[in-house]
Amino acid sequence: MKLWTGRFHKELDKKTNDFNSSIRFDSRMAKEDIEGSIAHATMLGACGVIDQKEAERICAGLEGILADLESGALEIDPEAEDIHTFVEAELTARLGDAGKRLHTARSRNDQVALDDRLYLRKQCGMLYGQIKELIEVLCKKALDYKGAVMPGYTHLQRAQPITFGHHLMAYAEMFQRDLARLKDAAQRMNVCPLGSGALAGTTYPLDRAMSARLLGFDDYTHNSLDGVSDRDFCMETAAAVAIAMVHLSRFSEEIILWCSWEFKFIELDDAFSTGSSIMPQKKNPDIAELVRGKAGRAIGDLTTLLSMMKGLPLAYNKDMQEDKEAVFDAVDTLHICLTAFVPMVDTMKVLPENMRKAAAKGFINATDCADYLVGKGLPFRDAYKVTGALVAYCIDHDLTLETLPLEEYQKFHALFAEDVYQAISLDTCVNGRKVPGGPAPENVEKEAQRVLALMQDAVWPYDEGGETP
């Protein structure tokens, strides 16, 4: 059954019908389509647009369809044009004329806009929970390794000493922003388009506030053209997902480096590694590599949505059917990546001894050496120049700042004394960075505990839905 066949005298060409159909991907919104239809029928009955008893029959019929779909007693017809057509056809087959009254004062344009919002609201909540779990794992690991000294890098060159806990908390900060973006996107999508009709509303006396309330929306859309043609919420969701995937990709890149023999800062659990078909010694970080690769896929989904929408006039256009495949793929990609990534991070073995050995090389305490001279009264620019000359001398003579004799120090400046060795020790360098946001172990502990407390209070606000019709 096509919902638009009255105007036409011929059946749609089979190949064209397959091209036009969206049932293969919008069937996943069956539950949301039925929930929206139950709210719509309930509102129609309450407003007297259809008979109250008939509205109750429609709702009972829709609940039966949902129950049968969930139990497997009913399967979605792959030949249906879309999920809306399938549900209405099934309802009509069960109820007769009563089923045909469901679509009163509604268009597929406002119906699909509703289904998209209901579905993505739930999906954002699922992703929110997964990212929250990842943040908690990072915080707990940061507490375990708050004092594990490692080199911090800029330009992938050893720069200054930090701790592994501090490094992990940097990602915890990133993922907290991802939580905020998902929540923010959901807040703006949480308005009900039902009642917008095809583009110009309807002459029926609808209670749009009731529909919105029944479905757990904060409000209804206030312009019928925008109500059916707005896909900002799809683009925002895809953008939030793409940024989160970029964060996962950056983290994956570091994990890949860290578990290489060149770094050997961590070792991934066997459950999250693979081997080589020809080289028996290999232990490959395939999960991290896949996450890094799939980030490009999520970025592509966002680009698809932006490109699809950029040239569309108001109101609905068939191009907008492309929104679902792109945003669904983005959500699915982040979900499957987090499903593997969270336990991979949770179970990885940290090798703090190797981190500390790496930190002992590379002159990453040079800034602290300069700060030592500043503390003795030398201007920073002069102290910087002296320390640079010291580093060059050490490199030429295969020495480090820790092994350079005091008499050699004093050849570069008379302010150097025996206490320089304490000032440039890795523990002093790290422990002294107590400025808020710095890597001192006490800071790491404070921040990890603060973020864990935030996660306890971080609750997705849209899980409960609306009122029971």
Side-chain angles (χ1 to χ4, degrees):
M1 185 189 79
K2 297 285 187 296
L3 301 182
W4 43 266
T5 52
R7 159 72 171 79
F8 293 81
H9 301 296
K10 294 174 65 177
E11 283 291 322
L12 190 65
D13 177 78
K14 175 66 169 67
K15 292 180 180 178
T16 304
N17 182 66
D18 292 342
F19 178 67
N20 185 61
S21 171
S22 61
I23 191 69
R24 67 187 183 280
F25 49 84
D26 67 19
S27 59
R28 68 163 69 190
M29 300 192 300
K31 188 173 191 292
E32 289 72 29
D33 192 75
I34 290 171
E35 289 172 346
S37 292
I38 289 173
H40 183 64
T42 301
M43 181 274 297
L44 291 179
C47 293
V49 175
I50 64 175
D51 181 75
Q52 181 65 43
K53 294 291 185 184
E54 203 153 42
E56 292 172 3
R57 283 190 66 210
I58 290 172
C59 290
L62 289 166
E63 289 169 357
I65 292 172
L66 179 58
D68 288 348
L69 285 171
E70 291 178 338
S71 70
L74 175 65
E75 294 184 357
I76 294 173
D77 180 6
E79 298 300 315
E81 184 177 357
D82 52 42
I83 192 59
H84 327 298
T85 303
F86 169 76
V87 171
E88 186 172 332
E90 182 64 26
L91 184 69
T92 300
R94 295 185 181 201
L95 302 185
D97 285 347
K100 298 177 182 179
R101 291 188 171 88
L102 171 62
H103 208 55
T104 307
R106 186 175 67 171
S107 165
R108 281 192 299 178
N109 292 357
D110 58 354
Q111 189 176 358
V112 70
L114 172 71
D115 291 1
D116 279 355
R117 290 172 187 270
L118 290 173
Y119 182 79
L120 288 179
R121 188 174 67 183
K122 293 176 183 176
Q123 296 303 299
C124 285
M126 173 193 66
L127 296 176
Y128 188 91
Q130 287 186 291
I131 294 174
K132 178 181 170 182
E133 183 183 359
L134 175 56
I135 293 170
E136 290 170 341
V137 166
L138 290 172
C139 288
K140 290 170 184 175
K141 254 192 163 42
L143 288 170
D144 290 340
Y145 297 100
K146 63 185 179 183
V149 177
M150 69 175 288
Y153 296 82
T154 64
H155 307 278
L156 207 55
Q157 303 294 311
R158 292 171 186 163
Q160 289 182 298
I162 59 170
T163 66
F164 190 58
H166 186 64
H167 199 118
L168 293 179
M169 288 307 297
Y171 284 105
E173 290 294 312
M174 294 184 198
F175 293 122
Q176 283 180 84
R177 295 194 293 271
D178 293 323
L179 288 185
R181 270 184 281 270
L182 285 170
K183 199 170 183 179
D184 198 40
Q187 181 182 3
R188 270 190 292 278
M189 82 169 65
N190 205 43
V191 289
C192 183
L194 276 182
S196 297
L199 76 159
T202 178
T203 57
Y204 290 100
L206 305 185
D207 186 345
R208 296 194 65 203
M210 179 182 181
S211 298
R213 189 171 62 251
L214 289 172
L215 293 166
F217 288 108
D218 297 325
D219 198 0
Y220 52 83
T221 55
H222 288 268
N223 183 284
S224 59
L225 286 169
D226 185 57
V228 299
S229 63
D230 169 34
R231 292 298 184 272
D232 287 4
F233 62 95
C234 292
M235 293 184 284
E236 283 195 81
T237 299
V241 166
I243 294 170
M245 284 297 301
V246 167
H247 292 159
L248 285 177
S249 182
R250 294 183 70 182
F251 198 178
S252 294
E253 170 67 10
E254 298 211 283
I255 288 171
I256 292 162
L257 290 172
W258 290 342
C259 68
S260 69
W261 282 104
E262 284 68 26
F263 281 76
K264 212 57 181 173
F265 289 175
I266 63 167
E267 184 175 335
L268 295 178
D269 190 89
D270 287 356
F272 301 96
S273 306
T274 63
S276 165
S277 62
I278 191 172
M279 295 169 284
Q281 83 280 10
K282 294 288 294 298
K283 186 175 183 181
N284 299 327
D286 280 11
I287 302 304
E289 290 175 358
L290 278 170
V291 170
R292 186 177 59 182
K294 286 180 182 293
R297 182 170 180 157
I299 293 166
D301 290 327
L302 173 58
T303 303
T304 295
L305 288 164
L306 294 170
S307 302
M308 180 266 291
M309 290 298 297
K310 72 175 183 63
L312 295 188
L314 295 175
Y316 182 81
N317 298 269
K318 192 70 170 183
D319 314 47
M320 293 162 70
Q321 183 167 288
E322 294 297 307
D323 65 347
K324 282 168 280 299
E325 285 188 277
V327 75
F328 291 172
D329 182 70
V331 167
D332 291 349
T333 297
L334 180 54
H335 168 60
I336 195 171
C337 286
L338 286 167
T339 299
F341 196 90
V342 175
M344 179 186 71
V345 172
D346 192 28
T347 58
M348 72 182 182
K349 180 182 179 182
V350 181
L351 304 172
E353 301 84 2
N354 291 347
M355 292 179 180
R356 192 175 185 93
K357 287 177 184 176
K361 302 174 183 177
F363 303 97
I364 64 175
N365 49 2
T367 301
D368 300 272
C369 184
D371 288 341
Y372 166 84
L373 291 174
V374 170
K376 299 276 187 174
L378 197 65
F380 179 77
R381 275 298 155 211
D382 292 338
Y384 176 94
K385 186 175 180 180
V386 170
T387 305
L390 274 170
V391 169
Y393 180 84
C394 288
I395 292 172
D396 289 342
H397 293 80
D398 196 24
L399 295 167
T400 67
L401 292 175
E402 293 89 346
T403 60
L404 183 68
L406 180 59
E407 56 268 24
E408 296 298 321
Y409 267 108
Q410 291 173 337
K411 289 178 183 178
F412 288 86
H413 206 285
L415 287 175
F416 282 114
E418 191 69 40
D419 59 350
V420 67
Y421 297 106
Q422 176 62 29
I424 64 171
S425 76
L426 292 177
D427 290 323
T428 300
C429 295
V430 170
N431 293 335
R433 284 177 160 78
K434 299 178 183 179
V435 64
E442 62 190 75
N443 284 11
V444 174
E445 179 165 7
K446 180 180 177 182
E447 286 304 304
Q449 296 290 4
R450 179 185 68 84
V451 175
L452 282 172
L454 288 174
M455 291 304 99
Q456 285 186 333
D457 296 333
V459 178
W460 185 250
Y462 304 110
D463 286 341
E464 298 304 318
E467 299 176 2
T468 302

